[in-house]
Amino acid sequence: MGDKNIYKPLISSSSYIHPSAVVIGNVKIGANVFVGPNAVIRSDETDEDNLVSPVVIEDDVNIQDNVVIHALAGSTVKIGKGSSVSHSAIVHGPCEIGRECFIGFGSVVFKSSVGDGTVVMHKALVENVMIPEKRSVPSGSLIKCDEDAVMLGPVTEDLTAFARKVRQNNLKLLNSPIYHRSDSPEIAVVMGSKSDMDVMKECINTLNHFDVRHEVRIISAHRTPERAHSFATGANSRGIKIIIAAAGKSAHLAGVMASLTTIPVLGVPMQTSDLGGLDSLLSVVQMPGGIPVGTTAIGRAGAKNSALLAVSILALADKTLSERLVNYRKAMQHEVEKMDDELCSLIPC
Ligand code: RP5
């Protein structure tokens, strides 16, 4: 048996999967992919070596409602960048759909490859063929041998424009408030390593105190650069309003995040054993003009303050949060006054 992790879907954080859609097994979904209601994407059949071949959905693809994408054991499915698979279509492996293709309502594509830019209109059956690039498959066609495929005419400009429009409209859904769940996190707390967690608990506890919805991730600018990239580019479309990024040593995480998104990024430099955190501080704070990172103090104080700073930014548009922040300050004030009173009672002022 191979590595069990390869059987888990790997989905870019910039993509949207509707809660009613089902994604099972060795499925890789790239950036900015929209998967609509009731779509099923399964890669679960094992071959003779007990391995599961992948279903790969490249960036900017849209998979509409009730689409089924599945593969026979040992075969793969690939949907190329910028393609659309429309309502109730079935793409069954082995199958390769090229880039910027369109597969229409209720069409079935099985054991076939479809060249870049080809448009398959509605209720067509494409089986056991290779369709060259930029062909047009009319609605209701049966394309079952290479002779059928050779007879296909070129895709017209109108069809290409239609496919582009469908793609653009569906990708817009990624940013639509209709698909933003009201319980989605507003703040992302990202740290470069699990070893940062002990300090970053200060941040997380403070966000919990203010009841601010947040998510916590471990993403490294150096060790998982691709994940850092897809996380930062997708944060805005997922409704994240502020990223808090903590890292130590040569701490690029906050800067990398800030370079890939326009939402505010707060950097927390971690204390280090070699240089006490000065290394982290300078790496986080010394951003060249143009890409700002709001930097807090090194270590625990900085972790706590990053949360408070994030809360104060959110409070600009949230009266309840603003009141909580005022009360938090008042409580701190009372605590210090109490300390002073106690001291004065021991040593008369
Ligand atoms: C950075 O390197 C992390 O943010 C952490 O502060 C530091 C050390 O990481 P580990 O070696 O403990 O994983 O990337």
Side-chain angles (χ1 to χ4, degrees):
M1 180 75 84
D3 176 1
K4 284 204 176 97
N5 281 331
I6 68 164
Y7 305 137
K8 287 189 185 149
L10 197 60
I11 302 169
S12 164
S13 56
S14 62
S15 290
Y16 174 84
I17 314 291
H18 190 273
S20 65
V22 176
V23 180
I24 296 174
N26 190 7
V27 176
K28 295 180 174 42
I29 297 185
N32 303 319
V33 170
F34 176 85
V35 178
N38 296 315
V40 176
I41 307 175
R42 284 202 287 130
S43 177
D44 46 8
E45 293 186 6
T46 50
D47 63 15
E48 289 141 11
D49 298 321
N50 246 340
L51 294 172
V52 181
S53 303
V55 166
V56 178
I57 314 284
E58 293 188 342
D59 300 349
D60 304 331
V61 164
N62 81 81
I63 309 286
Q64 299 179 0
D65 329 31
N66 296 313
V67 162
V68 175
I69 298 177
H70 190 231
L72 289 172
S75 74
T76 59
V77 176
K78 183 174 149 197
I79 313 282
K81 183 172 164 53
S83 289
S84 297
V85 186
S86 306
H87 311 286
S88 299
I90 297 175
V91 178
H92 205 287
C95 228
E96 181 161 344
I97 309 293
R99 294 175 154 226
E100 300 190 0
C101 290
F102 175 86
I103 310 296
F105 309 152
S107 285
V108 175
V109 184
F110 175 45
K111 267 194 194 170
S112 295
S113 75
V114 175
D116 292 349
T118 284
V119 171
V120 177
M121 291 305 284
H122 313 304
K123 288 273 181 192
L125 173 65
V126 174
E127 184 177 347
N128 224 0
V129 289
M130 284 177 62
I131 298 184
E133 62 175 34
K134 294 188 178 156
R135 298 287 100 186
S136 157
V137 179
S139 294
S141 305
L142 295 182
I143 311 296
K144 297 188 70 176
C145 59
D146 287 336
E147 287 76 25
D148 294 339
V150 167
M151 301 297 286
L152 293 168
V155 72
T156 60
E157 274 181 26
D158 283 356
L159 279 179
T160 301
F162 164 73
R164 189 182 312 122
K165 198 165 177 205
V166 171
R167 176 168 65 249
Q168 286 167 348
N169 283 346
N170 278 272
L171 293 178
K172 269 194 218 155
L173 297 178
L174 287 169
N175 296 312
S176 162
I178 294 169
Y179 285 97
H180 278 170
R181 298 196 346 247
S182 59
D183 61 347
S184 63
E186 293 183 284
I187 294 184
V189 180
V190 188
M191 59 198 90
S193 169
K194 198 175 164 190
S195 64
D196 302 325
M197 183 59 97
D198 184 44
V199 169
M200 288 311 287
K201 272 190 187 144
E202 292 283 347
C203 168
I204 295 162
N205 291 342
T206 307
L207 293 174
N208 282 333
H209 174 86
F210 283 94
D211 214 7
V212 170
R213 297 190 308 275
H214 59 276
E215 63 180 16
V216 182
R217 300 283 304 272
I218 296 174
I219 299 175
S220 164
H222 312 278
R223 290 177 274 201
T224 58
E226 279 152 16
R227 195 167 280 201
H229 186 282
S230 63
F231 176 84
T233 52
N236 196 9
S237 66
R238 292 191 303 112
I240 299 290
K241 294 183 179 140
I242 300 159
I243 296 175
I244 295 173
K249 303 190 177 190
S250 186
H252 300 309
L253 185 62
V256 166
M257 295 276 145
S259 73
L260 294 165
T261 179
T262 52
I263 63 179
V265 176
L266 306 179
V268 187
M270 293 290 99
Q271 200 134 25
T272 60
S273 48
D274 310 309
L275 297 171
L278 188 60
D279 42 355
S280 322
L281 173 66
L282 295 178
S283 307
V284 180
V285 79
Q286 282 297 87
M287 287 298 287
I291 307 290
V293 168
T295 309
T296 63
I298 298 169
R300 289 183 194 281
K304 186 177 198 167
N305 279 349
S306 68
L308 290 169
L309 203 48
V311 168
S312 65
I313 295 170
L314 293 183
L316 290 171
D318 184 333
K319 209 161 163 264
T320 316
L321 209 49
S322 173
E323 280 163 11
R324 276 189 215 143
L325 206 47
V326 170
N327 291 337
Y328 180 84
R329 292 264 175 115
K330 275 187 190 153
M332 264 195 308
Q333 185 187 329
H334 290 151
E335 222 170 284
V336 175
E337 283 168 357
K338 204 171 132 209
M339 286 182 212
D340 186 41
D341 292 347
E342 279 169 8
L343 185 66
C344 285
S345 68
L346 292 174
I347 311 164
C349 307

